[in-house]
Amino acid sequence: SQTIHQWPATLVQPVGSPLSLECTVEGTSNPNLYWYRQAAGRGLQLLFYSVGIGQISSEVPQNLSASRPQDRQFILSSKKLLLSDSGFYLCAWSAGFETQYFGPGTRLLVL
Amino acid sequence: QKEVEQDPGPLSVPEGAIVSLNCTYSNSAFQYFMWYRQYSRKGPELLMYTYSSGNKEDGRFTAQVDKSSKYISLFIRDSQPSDSATYLCAMSARETSGSRLTFGEGTQLTVNP
């Protein structure tokens, strides 16, 4: 069966510091991968998606970037965090257009 | 106008009640319809998925799709306190690049014992 991992689970970072969140998927090959952000009490905002190694599409221009160095690894990064980057970050994978499966999420607080 | 509109809630019901959660959509290209359940501080969990008009049942949960009216619903029978969560509807179209989903904003449900 497929499993999706995210780490860290929680992160508190100062403004201006760098960020690296990691997501890995097990049990499937060539998945589509997604990064979402969810503000408290709000819906999901798609940040990036990837259909293959090195292929990144950005949905929202912002302070973040994404990379996919391996087939089942997706990384969300920032060089300098802003207060507005605080939120709940979710990674998801899909095999096609029918459904997506989410990881446990990373709660980021920028102070 | 958003492509997917979801009843915002919050919704509070007594244990044992029948709950109806609803979404409307405007994009007639949507073919696949999903409901996710999200507990506080957790990732969304796929609850039900369907691609045809009509009803799909899974235990206490029934997903209903009416493509002619562009309307989907999730019914929860005999609701339990453990059903307290935020419910997100989502939908997709085959030709969407990256197989992206379009989500509703979510409905927060509380089932009171």
Side-chain angles (χ1 to χ4, degrees):
Chain A
S1 63
Q2 299 84 15
T3 311
I4 180 167
H5 303 279
Q6 282 187 249
W7 63 91
T10 305
L11 194 58
V12 181
Q13 292 285 92
V15 169
S17 64
L19 174 74
S20 180
L21 302 181
E22 190 164 341
C23 170
T24 58
V25 181
E26 296 177 354
T28 187
S29 297
N30 196 30
N32 295 328
L33 296 172
Y34 310 85
W35 278 113
Y36 291 87
R37 178 168 60 201
Q38 188 175 37
R42 302 293 299 276
L44 298 171
Q45 179 188 32
L46 180 62
L47 302 175
F48 301 94
Y49 66 93
S50 171
V51 299
I53 296 174
Q55 300 178 59
I56 308 295
S57 297
S58 173
E59 286 291 290
V60 182
Q62 57 202 325
N63 186 40
L64 302 169
S65 62
S67 61
R68 184 171 177 173
Q70 299 180 42
D71 181 44
R72 290 168 288 179
Q73 184 185 30
F74 206 20
I75 296 172
L76 183 69
S77 303
S78 174
K79 292 182 179 178
K80 287 186 177 181
L81 283 168
L82 306 173
L83 287 174
S84 58
D85 291 323
S86 293
F88 190 41
Y89 288 82
L90 289 155
C91 182
W93 75 272
S94 78
F97 49 86
E98 296 176 355
T99 56
Q100 290 180 15
Y101 300 91
F102 286 84
T106 294
R107 192 159 301 277
L108 173 66
L109 180 60
V110 182
L111 299 175
Chain B
Q1 183 187 1
K2 293 181 181 178
E3 280 190 295
V4 177
E5 299 277 0
Q6 183 169 0
D7 290 350
L11 202 55
S12 182
V13 302
E15 184 175 353
I18 296 174
V19 176
S20 172
L21 304 166
N22 308 296
C23 290
T24 58
Y25 62 96
S26 57
N27 187 348
S28 57
F30 288 142
Q31 301 162 292
Y32 297 85
F33 305 91
M34 290 135 265
W35 285 97
Y36 287 85
R37 178 175 63 193
Q38 185 176 23
Y39 291 115
S40 180
R41 297 179 174 266
K42 302 290 185 183
E45 166 196 12
L46 181 66
L47 201 56
M48 296 193 72
Y49 144 69
T50 184
Y51 59 87
S52 57
S53 281
N55 294 348
K56 180 177 181 180
E57 207 170 300
D58 184 1
R60 297 184 294 110
F61 299 89
T62 299
Q64 185 178 81
V65 173
D66 183 347
K67 289 187 179 180
S68 62
S69 300
K70 297 190 179 66
Y71 188 90
I72 69 170
S73 297
L74 178 70
F75 297 97
I76 307 174
R77 291 185 300 279
D78 187 25
S79 56
Q80 303 294 310
S82 58
D83 295 327
S84 298
T86 296
Y87 290 80
L88 298 155
C89 65
M91 39 202 86
S92 67
R94 181 183 289 268
E95 61 273 9
T96 302
S97 65
S99 303
R100 288 166 290 162
L101 299 183
T102 302
F103 286 87
E105 289 288 305
T107 301
Q108 185 178 352
L109 170 67
T110 301
V111 181
N112 301 298

